């Protein structure tokens, strides 16, 4: 026999021995020790390992991926052990974690169930087996993480501190604080679409299973579904070939999808359930206030009347330095502007009133069970009273709310950054400042002198102008708003020669930037704001990006000149295509384009209302403000401009006025009621009716029996004459299901009571056909402004006195679109009476 033929079986046997050793089952009686962290039970490919990890003085028995823990024996909260701990796989089949003293920390409770071996497989699942049958596994008993190929069912719970993650039989995914407060909920509907909501889905599955695909898609499967439904995608969806993605509930209460490249030992967040960390209930503990330092959330106390419970951990909350019952005098209310106390189910159903700011403050002050209150300044007039169970706060300059906290007087607000340094000895600092100012001033003067000479010599050089164009292109490409000089915009528009149109905020001109980008330049009128506030509003508008919103490229703020530079929309505004004459038949839009525009507009407004960091109320939705690009995609323009206008006309009762357009104004504008996002929805409803009909909603003719078209259209709808409402110029086949949906949605949107109008996200769902639409009640006809002009000014503010005394009308209980949770066991009349009495006593 040849030597090679003898060697081959030996090598094969050795290779087989190595493989079986690597993938061998863990025998009964095996033990791991915390004192020897190099001893582990590994998966066959050594991707996963089970052993001890240390976090400070605490030790955990954990399954890890490249050092990242993805399962802990006993979980994060109850699995902590000491440095002498051991993980024992006993001969009776029980797996247990004990401290050095012998005290039991955790066990699998599998004794006497025939367990004969254990193994950690390449998917990260640690299994106790009876032969080939799984008796217990980490996949069936997760702690805070879900891995790919792991089935998460309604019987499983992820837990981290006081936070838990659940899958309900309805398909809902929920995050809860203390197993009670639901602060995040995403639900499944019949068309495999997912929506965030504070309600609970009414669907029921037989055995829903949540799973994470290796490519980064979180899916829900059930025997009742024809295919698995995609819940969310990670931001690196389907990228890379050697990446482990996992879902983890972190100790800050947020559920996230992470990615980790093999061998890196690092993980990267790819998706977060709660986009705003301060919206997580209890993040800063009881009476703690969450805010942001740059981009990171930080925790603090409402005022110096409070102190941290644990100075070393601000997330444990705050306590009063003096309890209310120990006050030497009467209690008072601490005012906290731009702050709110989080209110989620089941809290939402109690202690909610529709009153003004002063009444909300006083109602809490005189109530023995109230410790704090929040009043919303978003036009709803809602007041939330907080009882002393657990109060979680959020403060940000962008929040349209004011909160009040009951304290023992005197009130001691938190010091500002400048006042913190006021008490320090600044004598030596003054001397240093003088020296620094002189030195810096001298250097700046030299730089300016040299720069001025250089510009004077080369200002007319072709190379210089080309370089400027390159910098302009670079600044534009960065996505940040570009600041232009007035002369630059004069030059780019050729002296404002080609006028594209004029609106309530000023005229618009066509221009070309230095990099040859075609733009639309809007000259704003009636802007009385200061430089700083104007730039802040421009920054807000420019940071708002969506496929169905016109992009703001730059601005000019120079002296009295205020201009905005937008991307150019080749096909102009929607009104040019809807209200065409017979001579302009070439500009007539078919039904497919019209429905696409209606849906695109709704999505753009939904983004402004519900998906932006700050809710933006447009205040002037009309066909003239819906622009079309070269492929007839709808883009909403002029959003955010209402806040830039500061009228000096003192004929109006309130300090601030905004502009609207006749025919599209919601009734509350003229009734001097709060203006909210529901006012935009009314305007959109009128526009949607015009898209269907091709006629102005306020048009009166013999065809409509001398009635306003919107009123006549509803009468025809009631008669079943839907085709009579559709634009007669649409000779081709139209999708009547889409038409009926659009007409129903338009009538829901133009309801007189704001509470009866749907939210814009619901409008999108109804138009898409994924949500059933009930038959709308008849919208009441209202007279809007002066008939002599197309533009009117209406008040957007309601005085605190009128809000508190009159109160907002309670939402109709018959409406299927009533805002959830806006109800109270106290009748609205009693609330008005109590609020009026309290407010009267305060004014005295």
């Amino acid at each position: 026999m040849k030597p090679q033929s003898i060697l081959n079986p030996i090598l094969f046997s050795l290779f087989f021995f190595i493989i079986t050793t690597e993938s061998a089952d863990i025998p009964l009686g095996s033990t791991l020790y915390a004192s020897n962290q190099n001893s582990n039970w590994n998966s066959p490919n050594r991707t996963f390992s089970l052993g001890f990890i240390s976090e400070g003085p605490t030790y955990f028995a954990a399954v890890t991926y490249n050092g990242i823990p993805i399962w802990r024996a006993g979980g994060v909260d109850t699995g902590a052990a000491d440095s002498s701990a051991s993980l024992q796989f006993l001969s009776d089949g029980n797996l247990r974690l004990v401290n050095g003293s012998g005290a039991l920390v955790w066990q699998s409770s599998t004794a006497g169930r025939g367990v004969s071996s254990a193994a950690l497989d390449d998917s990260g699942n640690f299994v106790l087996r009876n032969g080939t049958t799984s008796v217990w596994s980490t996949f069936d008993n997760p702690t805070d993480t879900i891995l790919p190929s792991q089935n998460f069912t309604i019987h499983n719970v992820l837990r981290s501190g006081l936070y838990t993650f659940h899958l309900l039989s309805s398909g809902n995914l929920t995050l809860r604080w203390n197993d009670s407060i639901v602060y995040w909920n995403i639900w499944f509907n019949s068309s495999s679409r997912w929506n965030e909501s504070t309600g609970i889905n009414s669907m029921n599955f037989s055995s829903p299973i949540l799973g994470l695909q290796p490519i980064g898609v979180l899916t829900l499967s059930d025997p009742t579904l024809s295919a698995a439904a995609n819940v969310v995608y990670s931001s690196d969806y389907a990228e890379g070939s050697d990446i482990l993605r996992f879902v983890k509930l972190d100790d800050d209460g947020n559920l996230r999808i992470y990615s980790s490249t093999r061998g890196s030992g690092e993980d990267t967040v790819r998706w977060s359930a709660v986009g705003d960390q301060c919206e997580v209930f209890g993040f800063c503990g009881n009476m703690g206030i969450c805010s942001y330092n740059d981009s990171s959330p930080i925790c603090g106390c409402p005022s110096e009347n409070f102190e941290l419970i644990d100075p070393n951990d601000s997330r444990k909350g705050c306590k009063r330095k003096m309890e209310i019952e120990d006050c030497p005098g009467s209690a008072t209310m601490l005012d906290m502007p731009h702050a709110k106390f989080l209110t989620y189910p089941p809290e939402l159903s109690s202690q909610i009133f529709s009153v003004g700011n002063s009444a909300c403050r006083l109602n809490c002050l005189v109530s023995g069970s109230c410790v704090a209150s929040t009043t919303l300044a978003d036009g709803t007039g809602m007041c939330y009273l907080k009882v002393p169970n657990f109060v979680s706060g959020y403060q940000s300059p962008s929040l349209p709310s004011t909160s009040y906290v009951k304290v023992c007087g005197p009130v001691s607000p938190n010091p500002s950054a400048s006042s913190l340094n006021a008490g320090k000895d600044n004598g030596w600092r003054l001397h240093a400042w003088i020296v620094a100012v002189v030195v810096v001033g001298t250097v700046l003067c030299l730089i300016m002198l040299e720069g001025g000479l250089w510009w004077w010599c080369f200002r007319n050089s072709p190379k210089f102008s080309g370089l400027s164009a390159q910098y302009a292109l670079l600044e534009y490409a960065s996505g940040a708003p570009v600041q232009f000089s007035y002369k630059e915009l004069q030059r780019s528009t050729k002296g404002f020669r080609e006028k594209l149109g004029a609106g309530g905020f000023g005229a618009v001109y066509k221009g070309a930037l230095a990099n040859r980008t075609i733009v639309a330049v809007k000259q704003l009128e009636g802007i009385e704001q200061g430089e700083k506030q104007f730039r802040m509003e421009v920054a807000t508008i420019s940071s708002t990006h969506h496929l169905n919103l016109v992009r703001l490229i730059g601005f000019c703020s120079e002296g009295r000149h205020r201009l905005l530079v937008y991307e150019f929309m080749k096909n102009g505004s929607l009104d040019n295509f809807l209200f065409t004459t017979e001579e302009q038949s070439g500009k007539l839009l078919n039904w497919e384009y019209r429905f696409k525009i209606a849906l695109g507009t709704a999505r753009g407004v939904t983004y402004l209302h519900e998906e932006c960091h700050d809710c933006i109320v447009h205040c002037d939705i009309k066909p003239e403000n819906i622009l079309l690009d070269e492929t007839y995609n709808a883009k909403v323009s002029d959003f955010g401009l209402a806040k830039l206008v500061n009228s000096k006309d003192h004929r109006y009762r309130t300090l601030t006025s905004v502009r609207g357009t006749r025919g599209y104004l919601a009734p509350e504008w003229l009734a001097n009621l709060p203006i909210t996002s529901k006012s935009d929805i009314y305007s959109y409803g009128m526009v949607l009716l015009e898209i269907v009909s091709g006629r102005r909603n306020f048009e009166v003719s013999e065809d409509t029996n001398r009635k306003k078209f919107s009123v006549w259209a509803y009468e025809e709808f009631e008669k079943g004459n839907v085709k009579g409402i559709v634009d007669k110029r649409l000779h081709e086949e139209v999708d009547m299901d889409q038409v009926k949906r659009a007409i129903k949605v338009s009538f829901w949107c133009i309801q007189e009571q704001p509470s009866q109008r749907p939210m814009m996200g619901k409008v999108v769902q109804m138009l898409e056909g994924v949500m059933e639409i009930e038959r709308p009640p008849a919208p009441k006809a209202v007279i809007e402004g002066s008939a002599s002009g197309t533009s009117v000014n209406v008040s957007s503010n309601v005085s605190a006195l009128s809000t508190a005394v009159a109160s907002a009308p309670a939402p109709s209980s018959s409406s299927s679109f009533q805002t959830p949770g806006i109800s109270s066991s106290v009748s609205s009349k009693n609330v008005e009476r109590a609020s009026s009495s309290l407010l009267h006593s305060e004014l005295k």
Side-chain angles (χ1 to χ4, degrees):
M1 182 180 292
K2 294 181 181 181
Q4 185 177 359
S5 62
I6 298 173
L7 187 60
N8 284 339
I10 297 175
L11 290 175
F12 178 79
S13 300
L14 181 62
F15 177 76
F16 180 78
F17 174 78
I18 293 172
I19 294 298
T20 54
T21 301
E22 285 288 320
S23 59
D25 290 342
I26 300 161
L28 295 171
S30 300
T31 303
L32 294 175
Y33 297 95
S35 58
N36 184 10
Q37 295 186 38
N38 294 323
S39 175
N40 299 294
W41 296 334
N42 297 316
S43 63
N45 64 4
R46 307 189 72 85
T47 300
F48 297 92
S49 62
L50 173 57
F52 278 91
I53 61 172
S54 60
E55 295 179 0
T58 306
Y59 288 77
F60 292 92
V63 176
T64 60
Y65 171 83
N66 291 334
I68 302 170
I70 47 89
W71 180 87
R72 303 177 193 232
V76 179
D77 308 307
T78 58
D82 59 29
S83 59
S84 301
S86 59
L87 183 65
Q88 305 168 354
F89 185 28
L90 302 179
S91 57
D92 62 2
N94 196 26
L95 183 69
R96 68 174 191 171
L97 174 64
V98 295
N99 278 325
S101 63
L104 180 66
V105 178
W106 170 86
Q107 63 178 339
S108 62
S109 301
T110 52
R113 297 177 61 182
V115 174
S116 57
S117 65
L120 178 63
D121 62 32
D122 287 337
S123 66
N125 188 19
F126 182 73
V127 187
L128 303 182
R129 295 194 183 101
N130 180 350
T132 58
T133 304
S134 173
V135 175
W136 180 95
S137 71
T138 56
F139 274 16
D140 292 333
N141 298 272
T143 53
D144 61 354
T145 304
I146 303 173
L147 292 176
S149 74
Q150 180 175 353
N151 290 333
F152 187 84
T153 70
I154 59 175
H155 305 294
N156 300 138
V157 178
L158 297 187
R159 187 176 299 276
S160 184
L162 289 173
Y163 299 103
T164 53
F165 170 69
H166 301 260
L167 168 64
L168 306 184
S169 59
S170 59
N172 283 52
L173 310 181
T174 64
L175 287 172
R176 303 179 187 177
W177 173 86
N178 203 26
D179 283 326
S180 58
I181 303 297
V182 179
Y183 59 90
W184 180 79
N185 179 38
I186 189 170
W187 57 275
F188 177 84
N189 66 28
S190 58
S191 296
S192 301
R193 294 180 179 271
W194 292 86
N195 303 275
E196 287 191 34
S197 170
T198 55
I200 298 296
N201 184 20
S202 60
M203 294 184 64
N204 277 291
F205 296 106
S206 59
S207 54
I209 295 175
L210 189 70
L212 178 66
Q213 295 183 13
I215 58 175
V217 185
L218 195 62
T219 63
L220 183 81
S221 57
D222 187 80
T224 61
L225 298 174
S226 58
N230 296 336
V231 183
V232 294
Y233 295 82
S234 65
S235 61
D236 65 342
Y237 160 69
E239 293 182 8
S241 58
D242 201 11
I243 296 175
L244 175 74
R245 297 176 176 89
F246 55 92
V247 178
K248 184 178 182 181
L249 176 62
D250 289 317
D251 60 2
D252 60 6
N254 214 334
L255 185 74
R256 298 180 174 94
I257 296 179
Y258 287 91
S259 290
S260 179
T261 304
R262 185 189 296 270
S264 68
E266 298 178 351
D267 50 19
T268 304
V269 177
R270 300 300 184 181
W271 172 83
S272 299
V274 185
D276 188 339
Q277 183 60 42
C278 284
E279 295 282 359
V280 173
F281 191 87
F283 174 69
C284 288
N286 189 24
M287 294 306 300
I289 306 297
C290 181
S291 59
Y292 284 92
N293 179 10
D294 295 328
S295 59
S296 302
I298 56 175
C299 295
C301 294
S303 74
E304 290 198 326
N305 298 86
F306 293 79
E307 61 185 357
L308 291 172
I309 293 175
D310 183 354
N312 297 319
D313 187 357
S314 60
R315 284 196 52 200
K316 290 186 178 179
C318 303
K319 62 181 180 180
R320 289 181 175 82
K321 293 179 178 178
M322 179 176 290
E323 295 299 329
I324 301 300
E325 55 268 20
D326 298 329
C327 290
S330 59
T332 186
M333 300 301 286
L334 164 72
D335 290 9
M336 297 181 61
H338 304 294
K340 68 177 181 180
F341 292 109
L342 303 182
T343 303
Y344 296 111
E347 286 189 313
L348 202 60
S349 60
S350 63
Q351 300 301 317
I352 302 176
F353 303 94
S354 187
V355 297
N357 289 18
S358 299
C360 186
R361 176 180 180 273
L362 287 172
N363 276 342
C364 184
L365 181 60
V366 300
S367 172
S369 62
C370 179
V371 295
S373 64
T374 292
T375 178
L376 303 184
D378 60 356
T380 61
M382 289 295 99
C383 169
Y384 301 87
L385 303 185
K386 311 300 292 184
V387 294
N389 293 333
F390 196 97
V391 180
S392 179
Y394 179 13
Q395 190 165 30
S396 169
S398 62
L399 292 178
S401 56
T402 302
S403 292
Y404 311 96
V405 183
K406 189 180 293 185
V407 295
C408 293
V411 171
S412 301
N414 286 323
S416 62
S418 58
S419 64
L420 286 174
N421 298 320
K424 296 181 179 179
D425 181 15
N426 292 321
W428 68 272
R429 291 178 179 268
L430 181 60
H431 179 73
W433 270 109
I434 293 174
V435 174
V437 168
V438 171
V439 172
V440 172
T442 304
V443 172
L444 287 177
C445 288
L446 291 174
I447 292 174
M448 291 173 64
L449 179 61
E450 185 176 353
L453 291 173
W454 182 84
W455 178 83
W456 179 261
C457 295
F458 296 100
R459 69 188 189 281
N460 295 320
S461 170
K463 292 184 178 180
F464 179 76
S465 59
L467 186 62
S468 298
Q470 291 177 15
Y471 275 112
L473 175 62
L474 180 62
E475 192 173 11
Y476 167 62
S478 69
V482 181
Q483 182 172 358
F484 297 96
S485 68
Y486 185 70
K487 286 187 177 181
E488 282 180 305
L489 295 184
Q490 260 189 328
R491 186 166 55 250
S492 65
T493 58
K494 297 180 181 179
F496 302 101
R497 183 185 304 173
E498 187 177 349
K499 190 173 184 180
L500 298 175
F505 298 101
V508 184
Y509 300 89
K510 186 176 181 180
L513 299 181
N515 57 20
R516 298 184 181 180
T517 301
I518 306 300
V519 294
V521 180
K522 180 185 286 287
Q523 279 189 322
L524 297 176
E525 299 172 356
I527 305 299
E528 303 295 338
Q529 290 182 331
E531 177 80 10
K532 182 178 180 181
Q533 190 173 1
F534 177 78
R535 288 173 179 267
M536 288 176 62
E537 299 299 342
V538 167
T540 299
I541 297 172
S542 65
S543 64
T544 306
H545 301 289
H546 190 271
L547 178 66
N548 299 112
L549 298 178
V550 177
R551 182 189 169 198
L552 178 66
I553 294 174
F555 69 99
C556 170
S557 178
E558 195 173 290
R560 61 184 179 83
H561 300 296
R562 298 283 195 275
L563 300 95
L564 298 178
V565 181
Y566 290 98
E567 62 176 321
F568 179 72
M569 294 289 104
K570 183 177 180 180
N571 281 314
S573 56
L574 177 60
D575 61 302
N576 293 327
F577 292 87
L578 287 183
F579 314 119
T580 59
T581 61
E582 292 183 4
E583 293 78 14
Q584 299 172 308
S585 57
K587 298 185 72 175
L588 183 67
L589 291 172
N590 62 27
W591 174 251
E592 182 180 355
Y593 276 125
R594 294 192 189 202
F595 190 75
K596 173 185 174 183
I597 291 167
L599 193 55
T601 303
R603 287 170 177 160
V605 179
T606 299
Y607 181 81
L608 294 176
H609 288 182
E610 303 173 22
E611 298 170 14
C612 283
H613 184 269
D614 302 321
C615 173
I616 297 177
V617 181
H618 190 290
C619 294
D620 197 18
I621 295 176
K622 57 184 177 181
E624 288 79 359
N625 284 336
I626 300 171
L627 305 185
L628 308 177
D629 65 11
E630 63 276 4
T631 57
Y632 296 95
N633 290 310
K635 298 200 175 190
V636 180
S637 68
D638 280 10
F639 57 89
L641 297 190
K643 292 180 71 176
L644 292 174
V645 177
N646 183 18
S647 175
K648 284 190 173 182
D649 195 335
H650 298 288
R651 295 175 297 169
Y652 305 105
R653 288 180 292 166
T654 56
L655 297 176
T656 307
S657 295
V658 294
R659 299 179 181 181
T661 303
R662 172 178 173 259
Y664 305 94
L665 295 177
E668 57 264 26
W669 289 60
L670 301 177
N672 200 25
L673 292 175
I675 302 303
T676 68
S677 59
K678 292 296 185 76
S679 306
D680 279 352
I681 290 166
Y682 182 94
S683 304
Y684 174 80
M686 287 299 189
V687 172
L688 184 57
L689 191 59
E690 293 179 337
I691 290 174
V692 174
S693 66
R695 303 168 66 170
R696 292 285 188 185
N697 68 76
F698 50 83
E699 180 181 304
V700 174
S701 65
E702 295 299 332
D703 294 341
T704 62
N705 298 326
R706 307 306 301 173
K707 296 179 181 178
K708 194 167 72 168
F709 180 78
S710 56
V711 177
W712 176 85
Y714 185 82
E715 293 176 354
E716 295 302 304
F717 170 74
E718 285 285 87
K719 296 175 186 176
N721 182 23
V722 175
K723 287 188 177 180
I725 304 173
V726 180
D727 193 338
K728 294 180 174 59
R729 296 169 296 175
L730 296 176
H731 302 299
E732 84 284 358
E733 286 292 323
V734 298
D735 189 328
M736 289 308 296
D737 287 337
Q738 289 181 348
V739 169
K740 290 176 183 177
R741 286 205 304 270
I743 291 175
K744 285 183 181 179
V745 169
S746 69
F747 290 138
W748 271 117
C749 289
I750 62 175
Q751 292 297 308
E752 183 179 22
Q753 291 296 330
S755 60
Q756 288 187 298
R757 304 170 202 156
M759 297 294 288
M760 212 65 205
K762 300 288 186 185
V763 169
V764 172
Q765 294 175 21
M766 290 189 287
L767 288 176
E768 290 176 336
V770 301
M771 182 177 181
E772 187 177 348
I773 311 174
E774 297 180 10
R775 192 173 187 83
K780 294 183 181 180
V782 293
I783 300 173
E784 299 180 20
S786 170
S788 61
T790 61
S791 181
V792 295
N793 284 330
V794 295
S795 169
S796 66
N797 287 353
V798 181
S799 67
L801 181 62
S802 64
T803 305
V805 176
S807 183
S812 171
S813 61
S814 63
S815 169
S816 62
F817 298 112
Q818 181 177 347
T819 305
I822 303 182
S823 60
S824 176
S825 58
V826 184
S827 69
S828 59
K829 289 185 179 180
N830 290 339
V831 173
E832 289 181 23
R833 191 179 301 116
S835 303
S836 178
S837 174
L838 287 170
L839 182 59
H840 180 67
S841 65
E842 184 187 56
L843 293 174
K844 290 171 71 176

